Amino acid sequence: LRGVERRAKRFLLPTDDDELVLLVHLMSAGRLRYVAPGAKGAKTPVVRLRFVDGGELQLTEAGSKKRAGVWLLRPAALAGELDHLGPEANELSVEDVARILASDSRRLHSLLRDQRLISGIGRAWANEILWAARLSPYALSSQLDDEWTERLATAIREELERGLELRLAGANDEKPY
């Protein structure tokens, strides 16, 4: 594998020769973990990719709803899988957010999670973003004025940055802060 990239809520792991791409979608309960050679990993991962050196990439999923998945695709097929996705949430300007809000009159929480409009925001981050912006999840997107639109755009950027900083500092599902 050449490395790892992200598009929306999917991880992309292209092969060195760019002939294939491993696409991983964790959904809400999936976890992707690298297990070093000789280290103890999950007993029964959903998917286990073993490397030549003995290390493994393991996909596990908590809960009874098994929705996470792994696909091995050619680049053309991958493009077809990703072409419906909207712009990345962490790259949106205030103008982008205004355009997206104006494109569809619906509840903010639903709009933020719609991957066709904004990619990369799930249920939990939509909650955090709306809390930080002091906006009701039930507010209609078409009713936000310029000030509220700017607050929403700022909250999207700052909350996603905060989430990344927390993860880099060691926060996880067991230790959120």
Side-chain angles (χ1 to χ4, degrees), residues 22-33 35 41-50 56-71:
L22 191 70
L23 181 146
V24 180
H25 194 313
L26 301 176
M27 296 302 284
S28 58
R31 302 292 180 263
L32 195 60
R33 179 177 166 218
V35 179
K43 244 184 205 180
T44 55
V46 176
V47 173
R48 177 188 321 231
L49 181 62
R50 188 167 291 140
E56 294 182 351
L57 189 61
Q58 295 184 352
L59 172 65
T60 57
E61 189 169 15
S64 59
K65 294 179 182 177
K66 303 299 183 190
R67 297 184 295 177
V70 176
W71 296 264

Side-chain angles (χ1 to χ4, degrees):
L1 300 174
R2 179 168 36 86
V4 64
E5 302 162 12
R6 183 192 59 78
R7 177 68 175 109
K9 298 190 303 183
R10 296 154 178 82
F11 292 108
L12 310 173
L13 297 98
T15 57
D16 280 336
D17 60 7
D18 287 321
E19 292 290 320
L20 298 168
V21 178
L22 191 70
L23 181 146
V24 180
H25 194 313
L26 301 176
M27 296 302 284
S28 58
R31 302 292 180 263
L32 195 60
R33 179 177 166 218
Y34 174 75
V35 179
K40 186 174 179 168
K43 244 184 205 180
T44 55
V46 176
V47 173
R48 177 188 321 231
L49 181 62
R50 188 167 291 140
F51 298 106
V52 175
D53 69 356
E56 294 182 351
L57 189 61
Q58 295 184 352
L59 172 65
T60 57
E61 189 169 15
S64 59
K65 294 179 182 177
K66 303 299 183 190
R67 297 184 295 177
V70 176
W71 296 264
L72 188 60
L73 303 167
R74 297 206 179 275
L78 175 67
E81 287 291 319
L82 303 178
D83 67 357
H84 71 283
L85 296 170
E88 294 289 337
N90 61 333
E91 298 174 0
L92 295 175
S93 67
V94 175
E95 294 77 21
D96 294 330
V97 172
R99 180 184 42 76
I100 292 166
L101 291 173
S103 73
D104 194 0
S105 180
R106 57 201 268 202
R107 307 242 183 253
L108 287 177
H109 197 271
S110 171
L111 182 135
L112 288 175
R113 292 180 10 245
D114 187 336
Q115 300 301 298
R116 295 167 298 179
L117 297 175
I118 302 173
S119 64
I121 298 177
R123 184 179 315 277
W125 284 111
N127 292 340
E128 295 292 326
I129 288 164
L130 291 170
W131 177 264
R134 291 186 224 95
L135 284 164
S136 168
Y138 303 107
L140 292 177
S141 58
S142 59
Q143 295 178 340
L144 294 188
D145 63 18
D146 291 346
E147 178 187 340
W148 287 104
T149 299
E150 187 169 340
R151 286 172 68 164
L152 179 60
T154 299
I156 291 170
R157 184 182 61 257
E158 289 179 354
E159 286 304 298
L160 294 178
E161 287 174 5
R162 183 178 70 87
L164 181 57
E165 288 170 8
L166 286 170
R167 287 291 181 172
L168 292 173
N172 57 37
D173 293 339
E174 290 79 36
K175 183 185 116 189
Y177 299 103

